[in-house]
Each structure stands twice: as structure tokens, then as C-alpha cells.
Amino acid sequence: MGISNKVVIGVLGVILSAASLSAFAFTGQNLAGNAKVTIEQARTIALKAYPGKITDEELEQEKGGSGLRYSFDIKNGKVTHELGVDAKTGAVLENSTEGAHPD
């Protein structure tokens, strides 16, 4: 008996799903155990504050707020905003146009 097309498609779907999950790994993920806000919640907060496409994201220890923040670069048209979300409270800490030389 041969392998049915449905089985092959199902297996490929699982493989592709697993690959897409690893694509969402973010810098600073090792700090996530200290966060009360998940990366998914922080993305939602960030995109409400500045709609667009997230092009970069990280969790970092930085002054301001609780000292632990998610930082997002969000592109909308030709403009990229840097948006910071406190990883313990969910407060927006920064929402500014990214300069010509981003950090």
C-alpha cells in the first residue's frame, strides 16, 4: 500500500507549523520567565498603539518601567516606529519614530 496524499499533506503541515513557530523566536527569550505579559499580549498592545508590521522584536532589561520591556520595530509604509511595552505591566513605555541609525 502506498502513502495517501492526505497523510503526506498532513505531515507537511505539521512540519511547516513547527518551522513557523521557531521563526517567532525573539531576542531575549531567556528573560520571558520574569515577564508577566506574554510576547503575544505585548504584540497586541504594540500594534494597537501603532498599527503596522512588526519587523523586529526583543525582550530586554532596560531602564524605565519595571526594567523589563519588549521592544518592537513596527513598519507602516516607509515609517518605522520603535515601541516599548513593559513586560510586567503591559504599559506602553515608548512610541517614537525610529531614527536613521537604529540601535
Side-chain angles (χ1 to χ4, degrees):
M1 286 189 181
I3 298 175
S4 75
N5 285 342
K6 288 182 181 180
V7 171
V8 171
I9 290 171
V11 169
L12 285 174
V14 169
I15 291 169
L16 291 174
S17 294
S20 68
L21 288 176
S22 65
F24 284 100
F26 54 94
T27 305
Q29 195 167 11
N30 58 316
L31 299 171
N34 298 325
K36 292 184 179 173
V37 176
T38 66
I39 185 74
E40 293 83 9
Q41 292 167 324
R43 285 182 191 128
T44 299
I45 293 165
L47 290 171
K48 280 185 182 177
Y50 188 76
K53 181 179 181 191
I54 295 173
T55 59
D56 190 38
E57 56 189 20
E58 67 180 315
L59 179 58
E60 59 190 345
Q61 292 179 316
E62 191 169 311
K63 292 180 183 175
S66 69
L68 187 63
R69 79 164 61 184
Y70 292 101
S71 291
F72 299 96
D73 289 345
I74 303 174
K75 187 169 177 127
N76 187 329
K78 293 183 179 185
V79 178
T80 299
H81 263 231
E82 184 168 353
L83 209 129
V85 176
D86 191 294
K88 293 189 179 179
T89 67
V92 174
L93 302 173
E94 178 181 10
N95 185 356
S96 59
T97 302
E98 183 137 287
H101 303 288
D103 52 349

